[in-house]
Each structure stands twice: as structure tokens, then as C-alpha cells.
Amino acid sequence: MVLNNIEKLIEKYHNAETSLQEEAQLKSYFNGDNVAPHLEHYKPMFQYFSLSQKEQYTKDVPLNTKKTKLYQWISVAAVAVLMIGFFIPNWNNEPKTLADYSPEEQKLYLETKQVLSLISANLNEGMLGLSALDLAGDNLNVGLEKANYITVFGNTTNKLLKN
């Protein structure tokens, strides 16, 4: 009868349905000398559980609070240096106007402004052509995503076929 009960408890133990009292029964049975031969392979496991419960960590854990305080002050100092670096260069400087620069720098500025304006106009014209392709919202993006799946599928099948 006891053996039948132990086998039922082992089945419950494998299904993670045992209570703490039932697990204590299993541990006491497998720590004893009267273990059935067909259940001998469970004995080391339950003996390990009993031994591991008795283990205790006895070493002291040192807490280095000096390092953490040092790191906190270093981070505060770093933030202060960054803030000073952002505000000091613009402290007394008034914003420059185009007249403050040399004639050559003014000419370069105006040419650059003209070129960027030309690029912007052409880019806007090209974007109007692309918006005609996208009639129903994100159809173009959805199509590109589906095409990407085909590429991934092709790469995967190539890897499988090579092996």
C-alpha cells in the first residue's frame, strides 16, 4: 500500500501537483533505506534536495558604498561641465547678421541658398509624382514589405537546398 501511494505521489510530483506535505513524504521515503528497486533512480534527486535545503551561504557580502558615492559625484560633475560648455560660448555673443561676414562669405552663402532652393523645388516636384503612385494610402509600402518576405523565403530555401 505504501509503495502504491509513493508511485501516485511521484506521478503527481511529475505533474507539479504535489503539496508541501506530499513532497516531504517523498523526501522522507527516498532518504530511508527501504526504497523499491524500480524507484532507486529517484533516490539521488530527493537526497540532493534534502542536502541543498541545509546549505547556507556563510561569507560576508561587502558593500562598497564609497565607490557608488564617487560615481554619483563624478556624474554630477560631468553634467555640470556639459551645462557650462553649452552656455558659456553663447553668453555675451550677439547673433551675427549677413553684413558681419566678408563679401566672399556672403557670396558663398547666397550661392548655397540658391542651390538648396533649386534642389528643394526639384525634390518637391519628384515627390508629387511619387504621391500619384500611392493612391490608397500605404499600398506601395505594403507591396514592398510583401516583396521583402519573398526575398527572405528565397534566401531560406537556398540555404536549405545547399545543405
Side-chain angles (χ1 to χ4, degrees), residues 67-93:
K67 274 188 177 180
T68 56
K69 288 183 181 179
L70 178 67
Y71 288 132
Q72 288 173 349
W73 283 110
I74 288 174
S75 63
V76 168
V79 168
V81 167
L82 283 174
M83 296 299 286
I84 289 171
F86 283 129
F87 291 117
I88 293 293
N90 297 325
W91 193 277
N92 290 328
N93 294 345

Side-chain angles (χ1 to χ4, degrees), residues 8-25:
K8 286 180 184 178
L9 287 178
I10 288 175
E11 185 66 32
K12 284 178 70 176
Y13 184 79
H14 284 300
N15 293 330
E17 298 172 346
T18 55
S19 66
L20 292 176
Q21 292 82 15
E22 292 170 334
E23 287 181 19
Q25 287 177 351

Side-chain angles (χ1 to χ4, degrees), residues 1-160:
M1 183 69 179
V2 173
L3 185 61
N4 193 18
N5 186 25
I6 294 297
E7 288 175 347
K8 286 180 184 178
L9 287 178
I10 288 175
E11 185 66 32
K12 284 178 70 176
Y13 184 79
H14 284 300
N15 293 330
E17 298 172 346
T18 55
S19 66
L20 292 176
Q21 292 82 15
E22 292 170 334
E23 287 181 19
Q25 287 177 351
L26 284 172
K27 286 179 189 175
S28 65
Y29 174 77
F30 285 108
N31 284 332
D33 295 331
N34 307 7
V35 178
H38 68 283
L39 298 176
E40 281 286 331
H41 61 279
Y42 290 110
K43 191 171 184 174
M45 179 175 70
F46 284 102
Q47 286 176 348
Y48 172 75
F49 292 152
S50 297
L51 281 174
S52 65
Q53 278 185 333
K54 295 174 186 174
E55 290 180 2
Q56 288 185 350
Y57 188 74
T58 58
K59 291 186 177 180
D60 291 334
V61 179
L63 299 176
N64 295 335
T65 57
K66 290 181 181 180
K67 274 188 177 180
T68 56
K69 288 183 181 179
L70 178 67
Y71 288 132
Q72 288 173 349
W73 283 110
I74 288 174
S75 63
V76 168
V79 168
V81 167
L82 283 174
M83 296 299 286
I84 289 171
F86 283 129
F87 291 117
I88 293 293
N90 297 325
W91 193 277
N92 290 328
N93 294 345
E94 294 179 15
K96 290 186 174 183
T97 61
L98 190 57
D100 294 336
Y101 292 101
S102 68
E104 184 179 303
E105 290 173 331
Q106 289 177 9
K107 182 181 175 188
L108 286 173
Y109 171 75
L110 293 174
E111 287 177 4
T112 305
K113 187 175 175 183
Q114 185 180 10
V115 168
L116 289 175
S117 172
L118 182 64
I119 290 172
S120 174
N122 288 334
L123 186 63
N124 288 338
E125 186 178 323
M127 291 300 287
L128 287 175
L130 283 178
S131 65
L133 290 175
D134 193 16
L135 298 175
D138 293 328
N139 286 342
L140 185 62
N141 291 335
V142 171
L144 288 174
E145 287 177 10
K146 289 181 180 178
N148 190 27
Y149 290 137
I150 293 171
T151 306
V152 170
F153 178 74
N155 291 339
T156 306
T157 54
N158 287 341
K159 288 180 184 177
L160 288 174

